């Protein structure tokens, strides 16, 4: 940059600023400014031509006045004239004035653009940088239209100076963010990518920012940047003993735009770099200065984000979790916050979830002792994320304990999370009822309607918990200070099921009524209305209370109540109880029918509280393998999974956790006409496109457990209609193998579409959720999906395809997907026999007028239907010998393609769905598993033995099954996982 001469100090400007600062009042300041504006206006309008210095000085004064908050309505032309000056300081002030004061609709924009074009073509690097800075600062669409084609040429030109390249890259980034449709790289793409090899650090850093933004919208065009980014990592300067921290962070962030590299050498180099970063994090600090730790930790957290994004290196995921665990007790608050935030994401990976759970005590301690509320909130989020059936009671108890002293800003969200966890992981529903009532007692003011609606819905739908709920709520109402939400729950439950505890003299009908009525005068109008409905229910349940209740209804405080709703109820209920016969009364006041299962309204509220927009696939990953125990791991529902009461109950041998067998309850669509207690859940499922909308359970038929849904018998849903489906993508087998040992994740992604998947299995039944996300800003039109079953699979799996023996109930996929939106499709599966081929999913839609048509293999493999089987050592080897025929055994010896970490191997074997048997094999290094594949036709017992050889980096895998095709298929599937 040219040196500023002594004469450029602009003494008149300094004097003016000093005068403004010395003003004693606002009026004095305005007076001085008006005087100066009049002077400047006269100078600009005077006959005498001003020199460049004077113009610059007066334009600077106008800029200063504008920054003080005063309107400037002249001087713009003089600023534009400064752009034509050959002096740096004058041109700089002109550009500064234009960047701050000139808007895109100004009449001067054409003159400004001409001046900028002249400077860009001048080849004077200083003037070019000023022009580029002005374009970036204004960033208007008009600027983009004028210069979007010119700036890429400047960026990649061989004779452009490094400082200009850096400015050009950042200017192009700004224009792309404001007008992406006008910034088209086209022929410049490869040359822009190769800027990653530039020797100038400023150019590389700016280019990475540009490429990262471009890659997010057009990943395929810039995918060559992956290998260059990996090769550039950690090869430059060091900053406080840390190699190029800013550059490394940007490179790692760029790599998060892409899946793991396909090239083995590139992937190996990247894994080596990530391992180096994790290793260096374990080393003692080389400097005590804060710059060293900040730079080191910045790279570490970005590397962990990349490891989480890939979710394909179990060893790195576990190491990342262990490293973050060390930060949980760090003295630096920011590090503790970041560690908790990153571990929330790690908890969603099946490879690292168990490692995250080992830090539960530290996280609970952080929840109780952290001084910063934001850190406490992240600790609560992590507890929520790491919760599963094994630790649910402990976590819920700790969150309830913390609720008593929690900050008001997070109480409502904590209440929702406790309610969700209690329902999702309820081993028995008496614990669930106790938890929710305790929740109301501790934080009643923050318990939304959705929470107590949900507990009533579950109690009504489950006969086994109704008596306990009535007894518990009766005891809770005896407290002297009772929250109104408790009264609501008590009124509803006792009105429906008070007869179940009426046999105890301590909870006789009259005692129940007097207890409820003692709270009546303390409640709001809606609660009083509910209690009146409970009273009329009492008359039906307990005729001996009729006279007492009629006396209450007949009192002036009821039939002459100022509130019209209460008055009407009192009059109508009194008349009904007086003139109706016992049979009529019993019919009108019959027990509420079970509610149809819908998406949990609590989940919907939590999603709404977290922010608008569709649930991303990262949030989908928070599902944490809800079919885990059903498929061999611990049973854990997805954070965003179906919260139906039936799914959270203790599975019995005949339990149907997926809701595929149960028929819809009689009259479940709505309460009976005579029911006076309103359907408080009628709003819970109002959003028909909810992310977690559960299917209404189909009825059971004699041919299949999957019945046609209402209205589907005449025609198949649109989602199963297809013509000329495309052949499966070349990478379909690779995508399929990714899901052999896991049930959730991103199935497919390109620049237009992202397909996420969540699935759960129980015995020979399965349910799969597909999430189609539009990554563009343009609508997808005529979006249709078709599932087909190739060859022998047709008779073995009942699927969403129109073949014999098939009955299906599914929600059709929406034909139109808005830009940035996401739609869900549910698929039910029933396995009839063993199979090898996977079903095909064909997807068709129109994007920008062009037809998109491709097919994928759905990750439905035979191991998904495993039932884990525990065996003693003697039983295992006895069964092993029984399966000794050559055709019953499949064996494969292969080289390890991943690290031979014991914990990772265990996690994958559990993910396969079999039971991992401890202390069975004489060699403690070996792994043995047992399981039974459940099909409708037969059960196929399978045994597995995996013998790792760490020195040779080899495995020997042996599978024995009662059916030869199963042994062969399991061996093929599992060999690809190690």
């Amino acid at each position: 940059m040219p040196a500023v001469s002594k004469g450029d100090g602009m003494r008149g400007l300094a004097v003016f600023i000093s005068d403004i600062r010395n003003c004693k009042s606002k009026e004095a300041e305005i007076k001085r400014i008006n005087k100066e504006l009049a002077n400047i206006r006269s100078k600009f309008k005077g006959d005498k031509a001003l020199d460049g210095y004077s113009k610059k000085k007066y334009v600077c004064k106008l800029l200063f006045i504008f920054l003080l908050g005063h309107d400037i309505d002249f001087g713009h032309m003089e600023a534009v004239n400064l752009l034509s000056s050959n002096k740096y300081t004058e041109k700089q002030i002109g550009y500064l004035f234009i960047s701050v004061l000139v808007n895109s609709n100004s009449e001067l924009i054409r003159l400004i653009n001409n001046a900028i074009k002249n400077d860009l073509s001048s080849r004077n690097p200083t003037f070019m940088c000023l022009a580029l800075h002005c374009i970036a600062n204004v960033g208007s669409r008009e600027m983009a239209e004028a210069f979007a084609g010119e700036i890429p040429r400047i960026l990649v030109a061989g004779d452009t100076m490094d400082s200009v390249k850096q400015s050009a890259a950042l200017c192009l980034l700004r224009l792309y963010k404001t007008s992406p449709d006008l910034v088209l790289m086209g022929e410049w793409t490869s040359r822009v990518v190769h800027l990653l090899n530039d020797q100038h650090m400023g150019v590389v850093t700016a280019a990475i920012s540009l490429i990262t933004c471009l890659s997010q919208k057009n990943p395929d065009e810039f995918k060559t940047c992956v290998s260059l980014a990996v090769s550039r990592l950690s090869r430059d300067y060091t900053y406080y003993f840390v190699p190029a921290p800013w550059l490394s962070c940007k490179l790692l962030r760029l790599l998060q735009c892409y899946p793991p590299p396909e090239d083995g050498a590139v992937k190996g180099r990247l894994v080596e770099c990530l391992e180096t970063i994790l290793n260096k994090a374990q080393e003692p600090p080389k400097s005590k200065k804060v710059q060293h730790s900040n730079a080191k930790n910045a790279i570490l957290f970005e590397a962990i984000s990349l490891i989480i994004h890939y979710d394909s290196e179990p060893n790195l995921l576990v190491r990342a979790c262990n490293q973050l665990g060390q930060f949980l007790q760090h003295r630096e608050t920011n590090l503790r916050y970041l560690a908790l935030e990153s571990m929330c994401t790690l908890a969603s990976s099946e490879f690292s979830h168990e490692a995250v759970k080992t830090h539960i005590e530290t996280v609970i301690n952080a929840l109780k002792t952290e001084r910063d509320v934001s850190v406490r909130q992240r600790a609560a989020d992590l507890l929520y994320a790491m919760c599963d059936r094994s630790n649910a009671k402990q976590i819920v108890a700790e969150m309830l304990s913390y609720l008593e002293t929690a900050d008001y800003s997070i109480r409502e969200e904590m209440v929702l999370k406790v309610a969700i966890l209690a329902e999702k992981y309820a081993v028995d529903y008496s614990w669930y009822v106790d938890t929710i009532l305790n929740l109301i007692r501790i934080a009643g003011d923050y318990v939304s309607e959705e929470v107590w609606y949900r507990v009533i819905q579950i109690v009504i739908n489950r006969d086994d918990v109704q008596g306990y709920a009535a007894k518990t709520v009766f005891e809770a109402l005896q407290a002297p200070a009772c929250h109104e939400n408790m009264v609501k729950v008590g009124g509803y439950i006792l009105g429906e099921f008070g007869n179940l505890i009426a046999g105890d003299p301590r909870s006789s009908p009259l005692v129940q009524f007097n207890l409820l009525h003692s709270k009546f005068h303390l409640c709001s109008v809606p609660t009083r209305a509910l209690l009146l409905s409970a009273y009329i229910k009492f008359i039906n349940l307990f005729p001996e209370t009729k006279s007492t209740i009629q006396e209450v209804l007949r009192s002036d405080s009821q039939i002459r109540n100022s509130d019209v709703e209460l008055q009407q109820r009192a009059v109508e209920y009194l008349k009904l109880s007086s003139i109706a016969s016992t049979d009529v009364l019993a019919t009108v006041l019959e027990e509420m029918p079970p509610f149809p299962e819908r998406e949990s309204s609590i989940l919907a509220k939590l999603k709404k509280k977290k922010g608008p927009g569709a649930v991303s696939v990262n949030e989908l990953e928070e599902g944490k393998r809800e079919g885990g125990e059903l498929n061999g791991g611990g049973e854990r529902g997805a954070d965003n999974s179906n919260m139906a009461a039936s799914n959270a109950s203790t599975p019995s041998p005949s339990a149907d956790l997926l809701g595929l067998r149960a028929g819809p309850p009689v009259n479940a669509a709505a309460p009976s006409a005579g029911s006076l207690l309103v359907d408080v859940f009628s709003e819970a499922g109002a959003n028909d496109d909810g992310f977690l909308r559960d299917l209404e359970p189909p009825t059971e038929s004699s041919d299949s457990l999957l019945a046609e849904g209402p209205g589907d018998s005449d025609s198949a849903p649109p989602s199963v209609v297809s013509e000329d489906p495309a052949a499966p993508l070349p990478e379909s087998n690779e995508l399929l193998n990714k899901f052999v040992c896991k049930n959730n994740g991103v199935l497919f992604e390109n620049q237009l579409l992202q397909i996420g998947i969540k699935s759960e299995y129980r015995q020979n039944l399965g349910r799969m959720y597909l999430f189609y996300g539009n990554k563009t800003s343009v609508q997808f039109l005529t979006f249709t999906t078709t599932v087909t079953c190739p060859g022998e699979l047709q008779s073995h799996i009942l699927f969403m395809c129109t073949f014999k023996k098939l009955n299906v109930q599914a929600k059709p996929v929406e034909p139109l997907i808005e830009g940035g939106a996401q739609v869900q499709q549910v698929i039910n599966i029933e396995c009839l026999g063993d199979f090898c081929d996977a079903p095909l999913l064909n997807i068709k839609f129109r994007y920008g007028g062009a037809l998109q048509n491709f097919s994928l293999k759905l990750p439905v493999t035979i191991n998904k239907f495993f039932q884990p089987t525990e065996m003693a050592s003697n039983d295992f080897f006895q069964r092993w010998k029984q399966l000794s025929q050559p055709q019953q055994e499949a064996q494969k010896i292969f080289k390890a393609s991943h690290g031979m970490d014991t914990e990772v191997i265990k996690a994958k074997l559990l993910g396969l769905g079999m039971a991992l048997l401890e202390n069975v094999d004489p060699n403690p290094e070996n792994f043995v598993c047992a399981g039974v594949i459940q099909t409708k036709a037969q059960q196929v017992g399978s045994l597995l033995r995996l013998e790792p050889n760490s020195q040779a980096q080899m495995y020997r895998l042996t599978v024995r099954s009662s059916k030869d095709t199963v042994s062969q298929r399991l061996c093929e599937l599992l060999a690809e996982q190690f």
Side-chain angles (χ1 to χ4, degrees):
M1 182 184 292
V4 178
S5 65
K6 190 174 182 179
D8 285 333
M10 291 186 290
R11 183 172 176 276
L13 175 64
V15 170
F16 173 62
I17 294 174
S18 178
D19 289 348
I20 293 295
R21 288 177 175 171
N22 292 330
C23 289
K24 303 295 184 182
S25 65
K26 184 71 175 177
E27 291 76 13
E29 178 184 309
I30 293 174
K31 183 177 179 181
R32 178 68 182 88
I33 287 174
N34 287 337
K35 178 182 176 182
E36 191 63 39
L37 287 173
N39 178 53
I40 296 172
R41 197 184 300 270
S42 65
K43 294 290 184 181
F44 284 168
K45 289 185 177 180
D47 297 333
K48 185 178 178 181
L50 295 175
D51 59 9
Y53 171 80
S54 299
K55 283 184 182 179
K56 178 183 68 172
K57 178 177 67 174
Y58 292 134
V59 167
C60 273
K61 287 183 178 181
L62 290 175
L63 186 58
F64 179 71
I65 292 170
F66 175 78
L67 295 177
L68 288 175
H70 300 271
D71 291 333
I72 300 297
D73 56 3
F74 70 98
H76 299 77
M77 193 63 204
E78 283 70 17
V80 172
N81 290 337
L82 285 175
L83 300 184
S84 58
S85 171
N86 288 322
K87 276 193 170 184
Y88 169 77
T89 54
E90 294 174 8
K91 190 182 289 288
Q92 180 193 35
I93 295 301
Y95 276 124
L96 181 60
F97 185 93
I98 288 166
S99 298
V100 175
L101 271 88
V102 175
N103 61 52
S104 58
N105 297 324
S106 172
E107 297 175 354
L108 301 174
I109 200 71
R110 184 171 296 177
L111 292 174
I112 294 169
N113 285 351
N114 287 335
I116 291 174
K117 283 180 181 177
N118 292 335
D119 283 336
L120 290 179
S121 58
S122 68
R123 311 312 295 171
N124 181 321
T126 305
F127 292 174
M128 293 176 75
C129 285
L130 284 175
L132 291 167
H133 295 167
C134 179
I135 296 171
N137 285 329
V138 175
S140 66
R141 188 168 182 85
E142 289 74 15
M143 289 278 190
E145 289 174 346
F147 303 109
E150 176 69 11
I151 297 174
R153 184 188 60 79
I154 295 173
L155 176 61
V156 301
D159 58 347
T160 304
M161 290 188 63
D162 292 331
S163 59
V164 178
K165 283 185 179 180
Q166 184 176 355
S167 297
L170 295 176
C171 179
L172 202 57
L173 173 61
R174 162 70 169 162
L175 293 183
Y176 184 77
K177 286 182 176 180
T178 56
S179 306
D181 56 317
L182 297 178
V183 180
L184 305 173
M185 301 308 297
E187 60 183 302
W188 310 111
T189 299
S190 60
R191 298 176 68 179
V192 169
V193 169
H194 278 85
L195 288 174
L196 294 177
N197 286 328
D198 200 280
Q199 296 302 310
H200 191 271
M201 291 301 299
V203 174
V204 179
T205 306
I208 294 173
S209 297
L210 174 62
I211 294 169
T212 301
C213 188
L214 293 170
S215 298
Q216 290 170 350
K217 295 287 185 180
N218 306 290
D220 287 347
E221 291 184 25
F222 293 88
K223 61 184 178 183
T224 53
C225 70
V226 173
S227 57
L228 295 178
V230 172
S231 65
R232 185 88 200 205
L233 274 171
S234 305
R235 77 175 196 203
D236 294 282
Y237 72 100
T238 59
Y239 169 84
Y240 285 90
F241 307 102
V242 180
W246 288 277
L247 179 62
S248 297
C249 285
K250 283 180 175 285
L251 288 169
L252 291 168
R253 199 168 299 147
L254 171 60
L255 290 171
Q256 292 174 45
C257 298
Y258 291 92
E262 297 176 359
D263 187 300
V266 175
K267 185 175 182 179
R269 164 69 178 153
L270 177 56
V271 171
E272 182 184 339
C273 287
L274 294 174
E275 287 178 339
T276 302
I277 293 171
L278 293 175
N279 290 336
K280 286 185 177 295
Q282 298 286 345
E283 296 174 0
K286 296 181 179 179
S287 170
K288 293 184 178 180
K289 293 191 175 182
V290 68
Q291 293 93 331
H292 170 72
S293 61
N294 284 348
K296 183 177 174 183
N297 292 332
I299 295 177
L300 174 63
F301 278 103
E302 211 59 63
I304 290 174
S305 295
L306 180 61
I307 292 169
I308 294 171
H309 169 73
Y310 283 166
D311 195 22
S312 61
E313 295 293 332
N315 183 44
L316 291 179
L317 283 164
V318 173
R319 288 192 60 191
C321 180
N322 294 336
Q323 180 60 48
L324 291 172
Q326 296 177 18
F327 285 145
L328 292 180
Q329 295 178 313
H330 199 278
R331 60 185 178 85
E332 181 65 40
T333 305
N334 288 339
L335 279 180
R336 297 197 300 274
Y337 179 93
L338 291 171
L340 289 166
E341 189 174 49
S342 297
M343 287 184 81
C344 282
T345 314
L346 274 174
S348 68
S349 171
E350 54 195 335
F351 300 120
S352 54
H353 181 78
E354 292 300 321
V356 172
K357 282 169 57 179
T358 61
H359 301 285
I360 185 171
E361 296 298 335
T362 307
V363 179
I364 290 172
N365 185 58
L367 183 68
K368 294 177 177 178
T369 60
E370 280 288 350
R371 287 181 294 177
D372 191 313
V373 62
S374 61
V375 180
R376 293 198 296 274
Q377 185 160 9
R378 291 287 82 79
D381 290 343
L382 180 53
L383 284 176
Y384 179 75
M386 71 166 62
C387 187
D388 61 19
R389 199 169 292 280
S390 66
N391 57 19
K393 286 193 174 182
Q394 179 188 5
I395 288 177
V396 168
E398 293 293 349
M399 293 177 92
L400 278 173
S401 172
Y402 173 66
L403 255 179
E404 299 191 26
T405 56
D407 299 83
Y408 295 111
S409 59
I410 65 173
R411 282 195 181 187
E412 184 178 2
E413 188 176 328
M414 288 279 292
V415 165
L416 293 175
K417 288 180 174 178
V418 169
I420 290 169
L421 293 178
E423 181 181 347
K424 186 189 303 183
Y425 301 119
V427 176
D428 73 78
Y429 273 83
S430 58
W431 173 74
Y432 170 72
V433 171
D434 288 338
T435 300
I436 298 299
L437 294 183
N438 204 19
L439 190 64
I440 295 173
R441 180 187 62 79
I442 293 171
D445 290 338
Y446 299 90
V447 175
S448 62
E449 288 186 336
E450 287 82 1
V451 175
W452 73 266
Y453 285 1
R454 189 63 177 165
V455 69
I456 289 174
Q457 179 178 350
I458 289 173
V459 169
I460 287 177
N461 284 11
R462 299 193 63 87
D463 297 338
D464 57 337
V465 80
Q466 290 165 359
Y468 181 81
K471 177 177 178 293
T472 307
V473 79
F474 174 78
E475 293 171 351
L477 286 173
Q478 292 177 346
C482 192
H483 196 275
E484 187 168 339
N485 281 335
M486 187 74 78
V487 178
K488 292 176 182 177
V489 175
Y492 208 117
I493 290 179
L494 291 180
E496 293 291 330
F497 310 114
N499 60 306
L500 300 178
I501 60 171
D504 189 335
R506 293 170 296 180
S507 56
S508 64
L510 206 54
V511 172
Q512 292 184 43
F513 169 74
N514 289 332
L515 180 60
L516 282 177
H517 196 55
S518 67
K519 314 292 182 184
F520 187 89
H521 66 288
L522 301 172
C523 299
S524 62
V525 169
T527 307
R528 292 185 185 187
L530 187 147
L531 288 177
L532 289 178
S533 297
Y535 295 169
I536 192 66
K537 287 270 188 172
F538 267 40
I539 292 178
N540 179 49
L541 290 176
F542 315 116
E544 63 269 30
T545 63
K546 182 175 180 178
S547 58
T548 306
I549 294 174
Q550 283 182 335
E551 186 178 338
V552 170
L553 296 175
R554 197 178 290 116
S555 64
D556 286 349
S557 61
Q558 304 302 334
I559 62 174
R560 301 186 194 286
N561 198 293
S562 58
D563 185 87
V564 66
E565 173 68 20
L566 294 181
Q567 184 187 88
Q568 183 177 355
R569 288 195 183 214
V571 171
E572 291 180 356
Y573 292 167
L574 179 60
K575 201 68 174 176
L576 178 65
S577 66
S578 302
I579 66 173
S581 66
T582 306
D583 292 340
V584 171
L585 203 61
T587 302
V588 173
L589 300 175
E590 67 180 350
E591 186 178 305
M592 287 287 287
F595 291 97
E597 288 299 343
R598 302 188 179 102
E599 171 190 4
S600 170
S601 51
I602 311 175
L603 264 181
K605 186 172 180 71
L606 182 61
K607 285 190 294 179
K608 184 177 179 182
K609 191 171 180 63
K610 284 294 186 183
V615 179
S616 67
V617 174
N618 285 339
E619 288 171 315
L620 184 154
E621 292 283 356
E622 291 180 14
K624 298 180 299 197
R625 305 160 313 285
E626 77 282 6
E629 181 175 307
L630 308 180
N631 199 28
E635 177 179 349
R636 308 184 15 238
D639 286 354
N640 292 329
S641 67
N642 182 350
M643 292 293 296
S646 60
N647 291 7
S649 61
T650 308
S652 65
S654 60
D656 175 20
L657 297 190
L658 303 180
L660 298 178
R661 288 198 180 117
V666 179
N667 298 330
S672 63
S675 294
L676 295 170
L677 289 178
V678 296
D679 179 3
V680 291
F681 308 106
S682 58
E683 294 298 322
N687 180 6
D688 192 48
D689 294 325
F691 177 68
L692 296 173
R693 177 73 56 238
D694 187 24
L695 294 177
E696 297 216 19
T699 55
E700 186 172 351
S701 73
S702 57
D703 293 332
S704 168
L705 296 178
L706 297 171
E708 293 177 346
D712 291 342
S713 57
D714 296 332
S715 61
S719 59
V720 301
V721 176
S722 175
E723 296 177 3
D724 303 326
L729 294 176
E731 62 268 28
S732 287
N733 286 329
E734 181 183 346
L735 296 174
L736 177 74
N737 287 332
K738 282 173 54 179
F739 287 86
V740 169
C741 294
K742 67 177 184 177
N743 289 333
N744 305 327
V746 180
L747 175 62
F748 172 77
E749 184 170 12
N750 62 13
Q751 67 269 31
L752 303 178
L753 179 69
Q754 184 182 60
I755 305 176
I757 186 171
K758 295 195 301 181
S759 52
E760 53 184 342
Y761 297 87
R762 179 70 176 178
Q763 297 179 2
N764 68 316
L765 302 176
R767 173 174 288 175
M768 184 178 290
Y769 298 82
L770 293 176
F771 303 93
Y772 304 100
N774 183 347
K775 295 174 63 178
T776 72
S777 56
V778 181
Q779 291 179 336
F780 289 168
L781 303 176
T782 61
F783 190 92
T784 58
T785 61
T786 310
V787 179
T788 55
C789 307
E792 53 90 30
L793 190 59
Q794 295 177 17
S795 61
H796 289 168
I797 290 190
L798 290 184
F799 213 85
M800 281 192 66
C801 41
T802 51
F803 290 100
K804 60 180 181 178
K805 299 185 181 178
L806 175 66
N807 291 309
V808 72
Q809 186 235 355
K811 180 179 178 183
V813 68
E814 293 293 334
L816 185 143
I817 306 181
E818 297 288 346
Q822 183 185 72
V823 297
Q824 171 190 348
Q825 184 177 25
V826 183
I827 299 175
N828 293 335
I829 310 160
E830 182 184 10
C831 181
L832 302 179
D834 65 283
F835 61 94
C836 294
D837 293 331
L840 296 180
L841 171 69
N842 177 252
I843 299 167
K844 284 184 182 180
F845 60 92
R846 290 198 172 273
Y847 168 74
L851 177 65
Q852 308 291 323
N853 182 8
F854 57 91
S855 295
L856 300 166
K857 289 187 176 181
L858 277 178
V860 181
T861 48
I862 189 64
N863 65 291
K864 300 297 183 184
F865 303 97
F866 257 128
Q867 187 77 21
T869 305
E870 295 292 339
M871 280 188 178
S873 178
N874 292 338
D875 296 336
F876 178 85
F877 285 108
Q878 181 180 355
R879 181 62 178 153
W880 183 267
K881 291 175 183 177
Q882 290 173 355
L883 299 172
S884 57
Q885 297 181 23
Q887 67 269 24
Q888 292 178 324
E889 178 180 287
Q891 188 175 89
K892 194 166 186 179
I893 299 174
F894 55 94
K895 190 164 184 64
S897 54
H898 305 284
M900 301 181 75
D901 183 88
T902 302
E903 293 303 317
V904 174
I905 296 173
K906 286 183 178 179
K908 287 185 176 181
L909 290 173
L910 287 171
L912 185 71
M914 306 178 79
L916 184 61
L917 308 180
E918 303 284 352
N919 304 320
V920 170
D921 197 291
N923 184 350
E925 300 295 321
N926 295 344
F927 302 90
V928 293
C929 302
V932 177
I933 293 174
Q934 303 282 341
T935 74
K936 190 174 183 181
Q938 65 183 65
Q939 295 183 339
V940 182
S942 300
L943 302 177
L944 177 149
R945 189 180 191 191
L946 182 67
E947 301 168 84
N949 185 332
S950 356
Q951 293 182 341
Q953 290 290 296
M954 300 282 288
Y955 289 101
R956 179 166 68 181
L957 172 65
T958 309
V959 179
R960 291 187 180 183
S961 298
S962 55
K963 198 161 186 182
D964 54 344
T965 53
V966 172
S967 302
Q968 195 63 40
R969 182 58 176 157
L970 288 175
C971 195
E972 292 171 2
L973 289 172
L974 201 54
E976 297 294 328
Q977 305 303 310
F978 298 101

